[in-house]
PDB file of all heavy atoms in Angstrom:
ATOM      1  N   SER W   1     -10.043 -19.153   5.929  1.00  0.00           N
ATOM      2  CA  SER W   1     -11.075 -19.839   6.709  1.00  0.00           C
ATOM      3  C   SER W   1     -10.844 -19.665   8.210  1.00  0.00           C
ATOM      4  O   SER W   1     -11.785 -19.387   8.966  1.00  0.00           O
ATOM      5  CB  SER W   1     -11.090 -21.328   6.344  1.00  0.00           C
ATOM      6  OG  SER W   1     -12.070 -22.014   7.081  1.00  0.00           O
ATOM      7  N   GLU W   2      -9.595 -19.790   8.656  1.00  0.00           N
ATOM      8  CA  GLU W   2      -9.289 -19.613  10.080  1.00  0.00           C
ATOM      9  C   GLU W   2      -9.531 -18.183  10.541  1.00  0.00           C
ATOM     10  O   GLU W   2     -10.021 -17.950  11.642  1.00  0.00           O
ATOM     11  CB  GLU W   2      -7.836 -20.011  10.349  1.00  0.00           C
ATOM     12  CG  GLU W   2      -7.577 -21.509  10.263  1.00  0.00           C
ATOM     13  CD  GLU W   2      -6.136 -21.861  10.567  1.00  0.00           C
ATOM     14  OE1 GLU W   2      -5.411 -20.987  11.094  1.00  0.00           O
ATOM     15  OE2 GLU W   2      -5.729 -23.001  10.289  1.00  0.00           O
ATOM     16  N   ILE W   3      -9.199 -17.208   9.699  1.00  0.00           N
ATOM     17  CA  ILE W   3      -9.380 -15.799  10.070  1.00  0.00           C
ATOM     18  C   ILE W   3     -10.864 -15.461  10.193  1.00  0.00           C
ATOM     19  O   ILE W   3     -11.304 -14.822  11.160  1.00  0.00           O
ATOM     20  CB  ILE W   3      -8.701 -14.883   9.031  1.00  0.00           C
ATOM     21  CG1 ILE W   3      -7.183 -15.054   9.076  1.00  0.00           C
ATOM     22  CG2 ILE W   3      -9.057 -13.422   9.290  1.00  0.00           C
ATOM     23  CD1 ILE W   3      -6.451 -14.401   7.916  1.00  0.00           C
ATOM     24  N   VAL W   4     -11.656 -15.890   9.216  1.00  0.00           N
ATOM     25  CA  VAL W   4     -13.070 -15.534   9.172  1.00  0.00           C
ATOM     26  C   VAL W   4     -13.857 -16.230  10.283  1.00  0.00           C
ATOM     27  O   VAL W   4     -14.827 -15.668  10.814  1.00  0.00           O
ATOM     28  CB  VAL W   4     -13.645 -15.866   7.778  1.00  0.00           C
ATOM     29  CG1 VAL W   4     -15.144 -15.709   7.755  1.00  0.00           C
ATOM     30  CG2 VAL W   4     -13.032 -14.962   6.722  1.00  0.00           C
ATOM     31  N   LYS W   5     -13.445 -17.432  10.660  1.00  0.00           N
ATOM     32  CA  LYS W   5     -14.172 -18.187  11.689  1.00  0.00           C
ATOM     33  C   LYS W   5     -14.054 -17.573  13.083  1.00  0.00           C
ATOM     34  O   LYS W   5     -14.810 -17.945  13.987  1.00  0.00           O
ATOM     35  CB  LYS W   5     -13.692 -19.641  11.713  1.00  0.00           C
ATOM     36  CG  LYS W   5     -14.277 -20.473  10.576  1.00  0.00           C
ATOM     37  CD  LYS W   5     -13.807 -21.908  10.625  1.00  0.00           C
ATOM     38  CE  LYS W   5     -14.424 -22.707   9.469  1.00  0.00           C
ATOM     39  NZ  LYS W   5     -13.945 -24.115   9.443  1.00  0.00           N
ATOM     40  N   THR W   6     -13.130 -16.625  13.288  1.00  0.00           N
ATOM     41  CA  THR W   6     -13.080 -15.895  14.559  1.00  0.00           C
ATOM     42  C   THR W   6     -14.213 -14.882  14.669  1.00  0.00           C
ATOM     43  O   THR W   6     -14.438 -14.319  15.742  1.00  0.00           O
ATOM     44  CB  THR W   6     -11.730 -15.174  14.713  1.00  0.00           C
ATOM     45  OG1 THR W   6     -11.541 -14.272  13.606  1.00  0.00           O
ATOM     46  CG2 THR W   6     -10.578 -16.169  14.732  1.00  0.00           C
ATOM     47  N   LYS W   7     -14.910 -14.599  13.539  1.00  0.00           N
ATOM     48  CA  LYS W   7     -16.084 -13.726  13.456  1.00  0.00           C
ATOM     49  C   LYS W   7     -15.812 -12.321  14.005  1.00  0.00           C
ATOM     50  O   LYS W   7     -16.499 -11.850  14.918  1.00  0.00           O
ATOM     51  CB  LYS W   7     -17.266 -14.355  14.201  1.00  0.00           C
ATOM     52  CG  LYS W   7     -17.726 -15.663  13.590  1.00  0.00           C
ATOM     53  CD  LYS W   7     -18.838 -16.282  14.378  1.00  0.00           C
ATOM     54  CE  LYS W   7     -19.214 -17.635  13.796  1.00  0.00           C
ATOM     55  NZ  LYS W   7     -20.268 -18.311  14.599  1.00  0.00           N
ATOM     56  N   PRO W   8     -14.792 -11.638  13.464  1.00  0.00           N
ATOM     57  CA  PRO W   8     -14.582 -10.240  13.873  1.00  0.00           C
ATOM     58  C   PRO W   8     -15.623  -9.332  13.230  1.00  0.00           C
ATOM     59  O   PRO W   8     -16.227  -9.681  12.216  1.00  0.00           O
ATOM     60  CB  PRO W   8     -13.174  -9.939  13.350  1.00  0.00           C
ATOM     61  CG  PRO W   8     -13.033 -10.817  12.157  1.00  0.00           C
ATOM     62  CD  PRO W   8     -13.827 -12.065  12.442  1.00  0.00           C
ATOM     63  N   SER W   9     -15.837  -8.161  13.808  1.00  0.00           N
ATOM     64  CA  SER W   9     -16.808  -7.228  13.223  1.00  0.00           C
ATOM     65  C   SER W   9     -16.264  -6.587  11.958  1.00  0.00           C
ATOM     66  O   SER W   9     -17.033  -6.193  11.079  1.00  0.00           O
ATOM     67  CB  SER W   9     -17.173  -6.152  14.248  1.00  0.00           C
ATOM     68  OG  SER W   9     -16.000  -5.470  14.676  1.00  0.00           O
ATOM     69  N   TYR W  10     -14.919  -6.465  11.854  1.00  0.00           N
ATOM     70  CA  TYR W  10     -14.314  -5.925  10.644  1.00  0.00           C
ATOM     71  C   TYR W  10     -12.907  -6.484  10.480  1.00  0.00           C
ATOM     72  O   TYR W  10     -12.268  -6.910  11.455  1.00  0.00           O
ATOM     73  CB  TYR W  10     -14.281  -4.392  10.662  1.00  0.00           C
ATOM     74  CG  TYR W  10     -13.395  -3.797  11.731  1.00  0.00           C
ATOM     75  CD1 TYR W  10     -12.044  -3.541  11.495  1.00  0.00           C
ATOM     76  CD2 TYR W  10     -13.901  -3.493  12.994  1.00  0.00           C
ATOM     77  CE1 TYR W  10     -11.225  -2.996  12.470  1.00  0.00           C
ATOM     78  CE2 TYR W  10     -13.092  -2.953  13.975  1.00  0.00           C
ATOM     79  CZ  TYR W  10     -11.756  -2.704  13.708  1.00  0.00           C
ATOM     80  OH  TYR W  10     -10.938  -2.176  14.681  1.00  0.00           O
ATOM     81  N   ILE W  11     -12.420  -6.477   9.244  1.00  0.00           N
ATOM     82  CA  ILE W  11     -11.052  -6.882   8.917  1.00  0.00           C
ATOM     83  C   ILE W  11     -10.438  -5.770   8.081  1.00  0.00           C
ATOM     84  O   ILE W  11     -11.055  -5.298   7.118  1.00  0.00           O
ATOM     85  CB  ILE W  11     -11.018  -8.214   8.139  1.00  0.00           C
ATOM     86  CG1 ILE W  11     -11.540  -9.361   9.010  1.00  0.00           C
ATOM     87  CG2 ILE W  11      -9.605  -8.539   7.670  1.00  0.00           C
ATOM     88  CD1 ILE W  11     -11.660 -10.689   8.275  1.00  0.00           C
ATOM     89  N   THR W  12      -9.230  -5.350   8.445  1.00  0.00           N
ATOM     90  CA  THR W  12      -8.549  -4.271   7.728  1.00  0.00           C
ATOM     91  C   THR W  12      -7.290  -4.812   7.071  1.00  0.00           C
ATOM     92  O   THR W  12      -6.472  -5.467   7.718  1.00  0.00           O
ATOM     93  CB  THR W  12      -8.176  -3.120   8.674  1.00  0.00           C
ATOM     94  OG1 THR W  12      -9.321  -2.730   9.437  1.00  0.00           O
ATOM     95  CG2 THR W  12      -7.661  -1.925   7.893  1.00  0.00           C
ATOM     96  N   ILE W  13      -7.143  -4.545   5.770  1.00  0.00           N
ATOM     97  CA  ILE W  13      -5.947  -4.936   5.027  1.00  0.00           C
ATOM     98  C   ILE W  13      -5.389  -3.711   4.312  1.00  0.00           C
ATOM     99  O   ILE W  13      -6.055  -2.674   4.224  1.00  0.00           O
ATOM    100  CB  ILE W  13      -6.246  -6.056   4.008  1.00  0.00           C
ATOM    101  CG1 ILE W  13      -7.321  -5.608   3.002  1.00  0.00           C
ATOM    102  CG2 ILE W  13      -6.627  -7.344   4.698  1.00  0.00           C
ATOM    103  CD1 ILE W  13      -7.577  -6.596   1.892  1.00  0.00           C
ATOM    104  N   GLU W  14      -4.193  -3.842   3.802  1.00  0.00           N
ATOM    105  CA  GLU W  14      -3.541  -2.760   3.086  1.00  0.00           C
ATOM    106  C   GLU W  14      -3.716  -2.944   1.582  1.00  0.00           C
ATOM    107  O   GLU W  14      -3.709  -4.077   1.084  1.00  0.00           O
ATOM    108  CB  GLU W  14      -2.051  -2.741   3.437  1.00  0.00           C
ATOM    109  CG  GLU W  14      -1.304  -1.510   2.964  1.00  0.00           C
ATOM    110  CD  GLU W  14       0.147  -1.510   3.412  1.00  0.00           C
ATOM    111  OE1 GLU W  14       0.572  -2.501   4.040  1.00  0.00           O
ATOM    112  OE2 GLU W  14       0.850  -0.527   3.124  1.00  0.00           O
ATOM    113  N   ASP W  15      -3.893  -1.839   0.877  1.00  0.00           N
ATOM    114  CA  ASP W  15      -4.038  -1.873  -0.581  1.00  0.00           C
ATOM    115  C   ASP W  15      -2.646  -1.979  -1.207  1.00  0.00           C
ATOM    116  O   ASP W  15      -2.031  -0.967  -1.565  1.00  0.00           O
ATOM    117  CB  ASP W  15      -4.753  -0.620  -1.070  1.00  0.00           C
ATOM    118  CG  ASP W  15      -5.038  -0.665  -2.564  1.00  0.00           C
ATOM    119  OD1 ASP W  15      -5.001  -1.774  -3.134  1.00  0.00           O
ATOM    120  OD2 ASP W  15      -5.278   0.400  -3.158  1.00  0.00           O
ATOM    121  N   LEU W  16      -2.154  -3.195  -1.330  1.00  0.00           N
ATOM    122  CA  LEU W  16      -0.796  -3.411  -1.834  1.00  0.00           C
ATOM    123  C   LEU W  16      -0.703  -3.112  -3.327  1.00  0.00           C
ATOM    124  O   LEU W  16      -1.589  -3.483  -4.102  1.00  0.00           O
ATOM    125  CB  LEU W  16      -0.359  -4.856  -1.581  1.00  0.00           C
ATOM    126  CG  LEU W  16      -0.147  -5.272  -0.123  1.00  0.00           C
ATOM    127  CD1 LEU W  16       0.145  -6.754  -0.049  1.00  0.00           C
ATOM    128  CD2 LEU W  16       0.991  -4.487   0.513  1.00  0.00           C
ATOM    129  N   ASP W  17       0.369  -2.457  -3.722  1.00  0.00           N
ATOM    130  CA  ASP W  17       0.635  -2.196  -5.138  1.00  0.00           C
ATOM    131  C   ASP W  17       1.452  -3.369  -5.686  1.00  0.00           C
ATOM    132  O   ASP W  17       2.671  -3.313  -5.790  1.00  0.00           O
ATOM    133  CB  ASP W  17       1.400  -0.877  -5.291  1.00  0.00           C
ATOM    134  CG  ASP W  17       1.485  -0.438  -6.742  1.00  0.00           C
ATOM    135  OD1 ASP W  17       0.957  -1.159  -7.610  1.00  0.00           O
ATOM    136  OD2 ASP W  17       2.085   0.625  -7.017  1.00  0.00           O
ATOM    137  N   VAL W  18       0.745  -4.445  -6.036  1.00  0.00           N
ATOM    138  CA  VAL W  18       1.413  -5.680  -6.450  1.00  0.00           C
ATOM    139  C   VAL W  18       2.158  -5.490  -7.768  1.00  0.00           C
ATOM    140  O   VAL W  18       3.252  -6.033  -7.960  1.00  0.00           O
ATOM    141  CB  VAL W  18       0.381  -6.831  -6.574  1.00  0.00           C
ATOM    142  CG1 VAL W  18       1.068  -8.117  -7.022  1.00  0.00           C
ATOM    143  CG2 VAL W  18      -0.316  -7.063  -5.242  1.00  0.00           C
ATOM    144  N   MET W  19       1.599  -4.688  -8.676  1.00  0.00           N
ATOM    145  CA  MET W  19       2.250  -4.454  -9.967  1.00  0.00           C
ATOM    146  C   MET W  19       3.621  -3.792  -9.780  1.00  0.00           C
ATOM    147  O   MET W  19       4.591  -4.161 -10.450  1.00  0.00           O
ATOM    148  CB  MET W  19       1.356  -3.572 -10.848  1.00  0.00           C
ATOM    149  CG  MET W  19       0.088  -4.254 -11.315  1.00  0.00           C
ATOM    150  SD  MET W  19       0.410  -5.658 -12.401  1.00  0.00           S
ATOM    151  CE  MET W  19       1.032  -4.808 -13.832  1.00  0.00           C
ATOM    152  N   ARG W  20       3.699  -2.836  -8.869  1.00  0.00           N
ATOM    153  CA  ARG W  20       4.977  -2.169  -8.623  1.00  0.00           C
ATOM    154  C   ARG W  20       5.953  -3.095  -7.916  1.00  0.00           C
ATOM    155  O   ARG W  20       7.152  -3.073  -8.172  1.00  0.00           O
ATOM    156  CB  ARG W  20       4.752  -0.904  -7.783  1.00  0.00           C
ATOM    157  CG  ARG W  20       5.988  -0.017  -7.645  1.00  0.00           C
ATOM    158  CD  ARG W  20       5.617   1.315  -7.032  1.00  0.00           C
ATOM    159  NE  ARG W  20       5.065   1.151  -5.699  1.00  0.00           N
ATOM    160  CZ  ARG W  20       5.809   1.099  -4.589  1.00  0.00           C
ATOM    161  NH1 ARG W  20       7.114   1.178  -4.644  1.00  0.00           N
ATOM    162  NH2 ARG W  20       5.223   0.968  -3.408  1.00  0.00           N
ATOM    163  N   MET W  21       5.423  -3.946  -7.035  1.00  0.00           N
ATOM    164  CA  MET W  21       6.278  -4.917  -6.337  1.00  0.00           C
ATOM    165  C   MET W  21       6.852  -5.941  -7.308  1.00  0.00           C
ATOM    166  O   MET W  21       7.968  -6.421  -7.127  1.00  0.00           O
ATOM    167  CB  MET W  21       5.481  -5.614  -5.231  1.00  0.00           C
ATOM    168  CG  MET W  21       5.052  -4.686  -4.100  1.00  0.00           C
ATOM    169  SD  MET W  21       3.849  -5.445  -2.990  1.00  0.00           S
ATOM    170  CE  MET W  21       4.859  -6.657  -2.162  1.00  0.00           C
ATOM    171  N   MET W  22       6.081  -6.275  -8.348  1.00  0.00           N
ATOM    172  CA  MET W  22       6.549  -7.255  -9.326  1.00  0.00           C
ATOM    173  C   MET W  22       7.689  -6.715 -10.182  1.00  0.00           C
ATOM    174  O   MET W  22       8.434  -7.480 -10.792  1.00  0.00           O
ATOM    175  CB  MET W  22       5.389  -7.671 -10.234  1.00  0.00           C
ATOM    176  CG  MET W  22       4.328  -8.509  -9.535  1.00  0.00           C
ATOM    177  SD  MET W  22       4.900 -10.143  -9.082  1.00  0.00           S
ATOM    178  CE  MET W  22       5.021 -10.896 -10.681  1.00  0.00           C
ATOM    179  N   LYS W  23       7.830  -5.386 -10.248  1.00  0.00           N
ATOM    180  CA  LYS W  23       8.909  -4.791 -11.032  1.00  0.00           C
ATOM    181  C   LYS W  23      10.264  -4.908 -10.339  1.00  0.00           C
ATOM    182  O   LYS W  23      11.299  -4.719 -10.977  1.00  0.00           O
ATOM    183  CB  LYS W  23       8.583  -3.322 -11.318  1.00  0.00           C
ATOM    184  CG  LYS W  23       7.408  -3.140 -12.268  1.00  0.00           C
ATOM    185  CD  LYS W  23       7.110  -1.670 -12.505  1.00  0.00           C
ATOM    186  CE  LYS W  23       5.911  -1.513 -13.446  1.00  0.00           C
ATOM    187  NZ  LYS W  23       5.569  -0.087 -13.667  1.00  0.00           N
ATOM    188  N   ASN W  24      10.250  -5.180  -9.041  1.00  0.00           N
ATOM    189  CA  ASN W  24      11.494  -5.371  -8.296  1.00  0.00           C
ATOM    190  C   ASN W  24      12.035  -6.767  -8.598  1.00  0.00           C
ATOM    191  O   ASN W  24      11.435  -7.773  -8.233  1.00  0.00           O
ATOM    192  CB  ASN W  24      11.232  -5.204  -6.795  1.00  0.00           C
ATOM    193  CG  ASN W  24      12.507  -5.208  -5.978  1.00  0.00           C
ATOM    194  OD1 ASN W  24      13.525  -5.780  -6.378  1.00  0.00           O
ATOM    195  ND2 ASN W  24      12.458  -4.582  -4.817  1.00  0.00           N
ATOM    196  N   LYS W  25      13.183  -6.845  -9.278  1.00  0.00           N
ATOM    197  CA  LYS W  25      13.706  -8.140  -9.717  1.00  0.00           C
ATOM    198  C   LYS W  25      14.100  -9.042  -8.548  1.00  0.00           C
ATOM    199  O   LYS W  25      14.180 -10.260  -8.696  1.00  0.00           O
ATOM    200  CB  LYS W  25      14.904  -7.941 -10.644  1.00  0.00           C
ATOM    201  CG  LYS W  25      16.103  -7.259  -9.987  1.00  0.00           C
ATOM    202  CD  LYS W  25      17.249  -7.106 -10.966  1.00  0.00           C
ATOM    203  CE  LYS W  25      18.464  -6.458 -10.308  1.00  0.00           C
ATOM    204  NZ  LYS W  25      19.581  -6.316 -11.266  1.00  0.00           N
ATOM    205  N   HIS W  26      14.345  -8.460  -7.364  1.00  0.00           N
ATOM    206  CA  HIS W  26      14.726  -9.259  -6.208  1.00  0.00           C
ATOM    207  C   HIS W  26      13.508  -9.844  -5.481  1.00  0.00           C
ATOM    208  O   HIS W  26      13.630 -10.835  -4.765  1.00  0.00           O
ATOM    209  CB  HIS W  26      15.536  -8.412  -5.222  1.00  0.00           C
ATOM    210  CG  HIS W  26      16.774  -7.804  -5.828  1.00  0.00           C
ATOM    211  ND1 HIS W  26      17.870  -8.564  -6.206  1.00  0.00           N
ATOM    212  CD2 HIS W  26      17.079  -6.514  -6.149  1.00  0.00           C
ATOM    213  CE1 HIS W  26      18.799  -7.767  -6.717  1.00  0.00           C
ATOM    214  NE2 HIS W  26      18.345  -6.528  -6.697  1.00  0.00           N
ATOM    215  N   LEU W  27      12.325  -9.231  -5.658  1.00  0.00           N
ATOM    216  CA  LEU W  27      11.136  -9.665  -4.926  1.00  0.00           C
ATOM    217  C   LEU W  27      10.034 -10.222  -5.813  1.00  0.00           C
ATOM    218  O   LEU W  27       9.060 -10.770  -5.301  1.00  0.00           O
ATOM    219  CB  LEU W  27      10.563  -8.478  -4.130  1.00  0.00           C
ATOM    220  CG  LEU W  27      11.397  -7.934  -2.974  1.00  0.00           C
ATOM    221  CD1 LEU W  27      10.732  -6.700  -2.398  1.00  0.00           C
ATOM    222  CD2 LEU W  27      11.594  -8.968  -1.888  1.00  0.00           C
ATOM    223  N   SER W  28      10.160 -10.074  -7.125  1.00  0.00           N
ATOM    224  CA  SER W  28       9.049 -10.413  -8.028  1.00  0.00           C
ATOM    225  C   SER W  28       8.607 -11.872  -7.897  1.00  0.00           C
ATOM    226  O   SER W  28       7.407 -12.161  -7.809  1.00  0.00           O
ATOM    227  CB  SER W  28       9.431 -10.108  -9.474  1.00  0.00           C
ATOM    228  OG  SER W  28      10.588 -10.838  -9.851  1.00  0.00           O
TER     229      SER W  28
END
């Protein structure tokens, strides 16, 4: 809600590979 209320023309995020990150026993 706080991010969107600044009304930017675009928002860029990274396509995280969550499934691969979950395989790491230290970070899952």
Side-chain angles (χ1 to χ4, degrees):
S1 180
E2 289 181 14
I3 293 169
V4 171
K5 282 181 180 178
T6 58
K7 296 177 184 177
S9 57
Y10 65 89
I11 295 175
T12 309
I13 59 175
E14 191 177 3
D15 185 18
L16 292 174
D17 190 0
V18 179
M19 291 296 291
R20 189 169 61 87
M21 294 169 70
M22 290 291 289
K23 292 179 181 178
N24 188 334
K25 63 180 181 180
H26 303 291
L27 293 175
S28 59

